[in-house]
Amino acid sequence: MAQLPLSKEEILEKFGPHQKHEPPGGWDFSVQDPDSKVKTHCCFCGQGCGIILKTKDNQVIGFDPWEAFPFNKGKLCPKGVKRYMQGSHPDRLVYPMENRPGIGYERISWEEAYTKIIEAINRIQGQHGKDAFALLSGVSLTNEKSYLIGKFARVALQTANLDYNGRLCMVSAGAGNKKAFGIDRAANSWADILETDLILCTGTNVSECAPITTDYIWKARDRGAKLIVVDPRMTPIARTADLYLPVRPGTDVYLFNTILNLMIEAGDIDFDFVNNHTVGFEDIKKTVAKYSPQDCEKVTGVPAANIIKAAEWWGRARRSFLLHARGIEHHTKGVDNVLSCINIVLASGRIGRTGCGYGTITGQGNGQGGREQGHKCDQLPGNRDITNPEHRKYVAGVWGIDEKELPGKGLSAQEIVNDIHAGKIKGLLSICFNPLVSLPDTQFTEEALKKLDFYVAIDFFLNETARYANIILPGSLHEEDEGTATTAEGRVVRIQSAVTPPGEAKIDWHIFQDLAKRLGREKYFSFQKSEDIFNEMRVASHGGTADYYGITYGMIEKKMGVFWPCPEVGHPGTPRLFEDKKFYFPDGKARFNTVEYRPSADVINEEYPVYLTTGRVIFHYLSGAQTRRIGFLTDQCPDPYVEIHPRLADDHDIKDGDIVRITSRRGSIDLKAKVVKTIRPDTVFVPYHWPDEKSINRLTQRALDPVSKIPEFKMSAVRIEKIS
Amino acid sequence: MSDVFEENDFFIDPQRCIGCKACEAACSECSTHRGVPMIHLDTLDRYYTVKTGPTVCMHCDDPACASVCPADAIKRTEDGVVQSSLKPRCIGCSNCQIACPFGVPKIFRLQAQMLKCDMCYDRTSIGLKPMCTTVCPSETLFFGPKSVIEKLRKNKPNNEFTFGKQKITTKVYLMSDNSDAPVDMDVVDFMSSSHINEGDPWIV
Ligand code: SF4
């Protein structure tokens, strides 16, 4: 039974989060000449900014801007600037530990830890079947680790139940992209944003979640490009937009179907493109005919005149670029929302050429690459499908196993936790995932964790979920290992190791190698260095849509990033997809996907009359396990809060700074009110980076998109009341 | 003296600011003022707007801080950079703090000295851009030739400011705000009026 061995207060005292304000060794130490300057990347969002880390005595003592790196040219957000403070941290785990109830987390040796883990795996799998032991991973890990963990789950642990925290991030976009284009990648490098004439941002708080992208947007605007922003909150980028459409949460399909209908009525369709390079237009034309701007106004709350204006601008633009992110994707209709956006891109024919493009903005450090190389429950390397016999055969061949040995499709992240709760999954290995903070319905996740027969967590800090683990293994930070990551643009970049892991901590993939060996599968994991893993991954991805075969470490370093697909050695990579108007289907044509508006899962009524939406702030990354330990970042945003419009606040006699109780059908939370005019009066917003009683996911629900299995974080029905 | 200032100037374009505080974070990494930023990011009034803007030393051509300093501790370099107070001279009297029309100098009790932005002397003296202009994600803070920014952007650089009857010219340029965006922007103004007044806006 996974339980806490100490009180939460005792755990906090020992394992933090403690705040680190100064570089390792203090300022006097860090101002000395560094031993080395390592060109690598930031780990705190999907943009993967280039950064130089300065080291001394095997510690990262500071940073320098990397001005030559083409994506960000030295630019960084505050997370990037202070990222190095996660190293040499007092909370860092430096030896394996065992959870001993009533005593604490006791230091044990690696050998003891491995013996206990293997014993538990064998026992659970022996009694309950292979799939009763699950693995949850994450896409802050490099491509190499993502690939290796996918292989480990299938070949060593032999479980179908491997999934990852990208399930909370990229899956709606990925599924939508595959349905429409047959390939899951932003269609362009960001260079095309600079050349465009109209940018449409929907459900993306660019300034806080993809800060460098702001510069691309402004540079286009300097040239005269117009900007449309669709968001229930007036974010910093929305503030200056040429057209701002504050839609009601969950009504995106209505808006985009209406825009498409208006484009059709006005004849603003690229028929040459539609007729020759797409299928499904006639069907969608029939469907969207009933979406009028007047009805759209009623549903979205946006004036019909502005909807018409958006359709005119989009319909008649010479060049255009559509960007979206979790705002439209975190819904039970996340995939539909994505498809409704892609439909207006396809109808315009503006894709695959200069200044014309489309992309989702990947959120996590390696959100793009991590989802391509096979640690999703339904996927194999190269973005292959685990249910496709050809794909299975190819990858089994690369791995040297019999195709029959390869497990089938497993459960998605939330479904794994559901099955743990139901007692069907008994054992869990987690790395780079903090579901107690990041999954919806926190109380349910906590109950599930307590039901686990055995839980082993790999992490560099004791994250809130790992507190429940029986065994905790100290893994490695981003800057402690070699590898590659793939950015939001589809650019594969080199992650360089700046230092080695402290104490007894190990490089993550060494831990998986050690476990594989003890599971009798050593020969499949005989890698000497990260590059060996990468080279095998290249072969495993070859012929898949996410083809990395032609990419080498040397080439990435020389070119400062290579865009996949890169199917052959010597191939220059592919910054812009679809230049030949060929899409990744046998007939080469893109697909219109007919989608209809449908309500969200949670029901707004008299009892729960307010929409709750959640998201990030610029100062924190995901569950906050790293950024809540960095002093500067925590100082800027120490606690969650709730944004409330003055109209709603007045109705409840709430003043700025009052404590407000927000209640959903799952639970409640007390937060400080931030009364602001920058949000719709029927909607409240709370950032999600905190655990325990500060976790807004106590209120969100486990309703999933039927295709992508993403939870509906962006729409919960709540009521609010003033507490004090 | 370095030549970076011969061709380049420092520009602030607040309409682009996203309030991320990368400038403060990076400035606070400096080896001289260690953990304390010399640049400040202000939110205008969060009730009305998400608008933010950075304040750096404007490096006045005729700096008020220096002229009111009783200890003659504040020097302006040939490049036009107004420096922090000279440690041996500074008496921490706060005159500079009170006199500056932009509210820039601060007395640091720990160092017992006035410290302020010196445009990253450590960097500019070896030909690098000031740190905040290097990291700023939106190029709100920009360091480069005036001719370049004038060509790139639609708004205009200005370095003349009037306070009452007094005219001040500065080394740092402020870009005009071209957006029509008023400070008070209520999301309600962008919503359907019937939607707001229907009484039960959640019912489709
Ligand atoms: S978090 Fe993103 S924008 Fe910020 S420095 Fe890191 S990669 Fe760049």
Side-chain angles (χ1 to χ4, degrees), chain A residues 32 60 209 377 395 399 411 431 444 464 508 544 551 557 653:
Chain A
Q32 299 174 64
V60 184
C209 307
C377 66
V395 174
W399 288 349
L411 297 171
I431 178 168
F444 180 88
E464 287 77 12
D508 297 323
I551 304 174
E557 284 161 28
D653 193 29

Side-chain angles (χ1 to χ4, degrees), chain A residues 28 82 84 297 301 645 647, chain B residues 28-29 34 47 186 192 196:
Chain A
D28 285 336
K82 297 287 179 180
Y84 79 91
E297 167 165 340
H645 191 277
R647 287 196 190 201
Chain B
S28 75
E29 287 292 307
R34 309 178 170 199
Y47 175 77
D186 193 328
S192 152
I196 289 297

